[in-house]
Amino acid sequence: MEHDPDARWLARVMHVAFFLLLGASLVRFLLRHPWEDRSPWIIALSGALASLYVLGPVLGTRATPRRIAWLVTVVAVWMVLVVLAPSFAWCAVPLFYTGLRTLPPRAALVLVTLLTVFVVAAQVKLSNGGWDPNLLVAPPAVAAIATAVFVHAERQADRQRVLINDLIRTRRELAAIERREGTLAERQRLSMEIHDTLAQGLSSQQMLLQAADRTWDSDPDTARRHVRTAESIAEHNLAEARRFVHDLAPADLAEGGGLEEALRLLAARESAGFRVDGTALPVPERVQSALLRIAQGALANVREHAAATSAALTLTYLDDQIVLDIADDGRGFEPSRTRSAGVRGHGLPAIRARVRQLGGTLTIESAPGEGTVLSAAIPLETEE
C-alpha cells in the first residue's frame, strides 16, 4: 500500500483532516470554556495526540508490533480527550482510516465499533439531555460509509494487483514460448544449412572417392581427377565449417563476390552452366544466402538422384522479384510424390522451407524421363 500513489494521497488527506479537526476541537473547547481546571490537561493531551500522530508515517502502514502499539496509544489518548471534552469526538474519522489501514479486518472492525460508541456517547453528552435521533444514527452511518468505502477500495486494489500479476505472468509465458519457437526455428535453419553444405559435400566426396576406387586400375587419370575434385569439395566444406563457427554465412558469399559470383563458382564446381538475365538489382543478404543454399541443395539432388548429363543455373532479375532456375536433363520424377509421407531426404523440404520463410514461391516442373526444372521466386519488396 505504501507504494500506491493513490494510497499515499489519501493518507496525506487524512493527516491534514486529523490536524484540522484536532485544532478546531481545541479552539471550540477554549471558546466555550475560557479557562477551567481541566483546560491544562486538554491542551497537554491535544499536544501529545498531535505529536503521536506525527510519528505514524515514520512507522509505516504494516501491522508491526511498533505500529500497533502506536495506534493503541493514539486511540487511548483520544479516548481520554473525548471523556474530558466531547468536542474532540470527530477526530475519530481519520482514526477510522488509520485503523482500517493498519489492522487485520476483524481487529479493524472492533476498533471502528469502539470509536463509534465513543463518538455517540460524546454527541449525547454535548446535547445536554436533548433527544435527537441523529445523535444515534449519524455516527454509525458515517463509520459504516467510511468502512465500506475503504473495504471496497482495498478489494479493488487487490483485484488490480491480481490482474497485473496475471498479465506479468502471461508476458513471461509468452516470452518463454517465443524463445522456444525461436530455438526450434534456429535448429531447423541449422539443419538446413548443414544439409545444404557439409552433408551434401561429404556425400559428393563419398561418391567421387567410390568412383575413383572403381576406376583406379582401369583408368588412373579419371580416378585421379575424381580424387582432385573430392579434394576441392573437401576444401570448400572446410571453409563452410569455419564459416559456421563465425556467422553461418555461405563461404562463397563471405568472400565478397556477391550472389552472381557465388553462383558462378558453385556452377563451376558442379560442372553446371550459369546465366544471368535482366538488370541486376540490390539483393538483401538474407535472400542471397537463401538462394545460394537453394542452388547448392538442388544441384546436390541432381548429382545424387537425377543421373543427369548436364545442369544449368539461371538467375533472373525482374522488377519486384528475383528468380533462380535450376534445370537438368536427368531421369525426372513425379513432383507430387515429394510431398507424401515417407519420402527420403531433406533437400526439397529444406528448399521449400527457405522459400516460404522469404515469402516466395517454389515451382517444380518434372516428369519421369523428362528432366526437372526447379524455380524459386523471391520477392524483393518484402525485404528492407
Side-chain angles (χ1 to χ4, degrees), residues 119-165:
V119 172
V120 170
Q123 295 303 305
V124 171
K125 186 176 181 180
L126 288 174
S127 67
N128 296 319
W131 169 250
D132 186 349
N134 284 334
L135 298 180
L136 299 178
V137 175
V142 171
I145 292 172
T147 302
V149 170
F150 181 85
V151 171
H152 174 72
E154 283 286 286
R155 290 178 177 176
Q156 285 288 95
D158 289 340
R159 282 193 288 267
Q160 289 179 354
R161 282 193 291 270
V162 171
L163 179 59
I164 292 172
N165 290 335

Side-chain angles (χ1 to χ4, degrees), residues 68 97 107 118 157 291:
I68 293 175
Y97 171 77
F118 265 75
L291 288 175

Side-chain angles (χ1 to χ4, degrees), residues 23-351:
S25 300
L26 180 59
V27 170
R28 182 182 186 277
F29 173 80
L30 294 176
L31 290 176
R32 295 289 182 89
H33 311 277
W35 192 256
E36 299 179 356
D37 292 340
R38 57 179 174 166
S39 296
W41 289 101
I42 298 298
I43 296 173
L45 288 172
S46 298
L49 184 59
S51 300
L52 284 170
Y53 202 84
V54 168
L55 293 177
V58 178
L59 300 176
T61 59
R62 295 182 179 179
T64 60
R66 291 174 57 190
R67 174 75 175 182
I68 293 175
W70 167 84
L71 180 60
V72 170
T73 304
V74 169
V75 171
V77 173
W78 172 81
M79 288 179 177
V80 174
L81 263 176
V82 172
V83 171
L84 295 176
S87 302
F88 289 86
W90 287 109
C91 293
V93 175
L95 294 180
F96 287 162
Y97 171 77
T98 303
L100 290 168
R101 194 168 180 233
T102 302
L103 300 175
R106 291 185 178 180
L109 290 177
V110 172
L111 177 61
V112 169
T113 302
L114 180 62
L115 295 176
T116 304
V117 170
F118 265 75
V119 172
V120 170
Q123 295 303 305
V124 171
K125 186 176 181 180
L126 288 174
S127 67
N128 296 319
W131 169 250
D132 186 349
N134 284 334
L135 298 180
L136 299 178
V137 175
V142 171
I145 292 172
T147 302
V149 170
F150 181 85
V151 171
H152 174 72
E154 283 286 286
R155 290 178 177 176
Q156 285 288 95
D158 289 340
R159 282 193 288 267
Q160 289 179 354
R161 282 193 291 270
V162 171
L163 179 59
I164 292 172
N165 290 335
D166 288 342
L167 289 174
I168 293 174
R169 184 173 61 254
T170 301
R171 288 181 60 185
R172 290 174 178 170
E173 292 174 354
L174 288 175
I177 292 173
E178 290 177 357
R179 286 194 295 271
R180 286 195 295 269
E181 290 178 348
T183 300
L184 292 175
E186 183 66 11
R187 288 178 179 175
Q188 182 183 15
R189 187 178 73 85
L190 287 175
S191 69
M192 292 189 299
E193 294 283 350
I194 293 172
H195 174 269
D196 291 344
T197 55
L198 302 181
Q200 298 288 11
L202 292 172
S203 176
S204 298
Q205 293 174 53
Q206 182 184 30
M207 294 175 61
L208 288 168
L209 292 175
Q210 288 175 346
D213 183 62
R214 287 194 299 270
T215 60
W216 191 267
D217 295 328
S218 59
D219 192 352
D221 292 337
T222 300
R224 290 188 183 91
R225 187 166 61 252
H226 288 329
V227 171
R228 286 193 294 271
T229 303
E231 181 183 6
S232 175
I233 294 174
E235 181 180 1
H236 181 73
N237 266 17
L238 179 60
E240 288 284 3
R242 288 170 176 167
R243 187 58 52 189
F244 272 122
V245 175
H246 291 84
D247 57 4
L248 298 179
D252 289 336
L253 286 176
E255 293 173 359
L259 177 61
E260 293 181 17
E261 182 63 23
L263 290 174
R264 186 174 286 108
L265 291 173
L266 173 63
R269 285 196 302 270
E270 298 289 343
S271 301
F274 177 67
R275 187 178 79 249
V276 178
D277 291 336
T279 303
L281 299 171
V283 181
E285 292 184 2
R286 183 185 178 199
V287 175
Q288 292 187 43
S289 178
L291 288 175
L292 180 57
R293 296 307 191 200
I294 289 170
Q296 290 173 333
L299 289 177
N301 283 345
V302 171
R303 181 176 62 250
E304 294 183 18
H305 307 298
T309 59
S310 65
L313 300 177
T314 303
L315 185 67
T316 304
Y317 295 96
L318 301 178
D319 292 338
D320 58 352
Q321 63 180 349
I322 185 169
V323 181
L324 177 64
D325 296 317
I326 303 98
D328 69 77
D329 61 356
R331 62 168 61 101
F333 63 96
E334 182 59 46
S336 60
R337 292 186 63 250
T338 63
R339 294 181 179 273
S340 62
V343 175
R344 187 183 69 83
H346 297 84
L348 285 177
I351 291 173

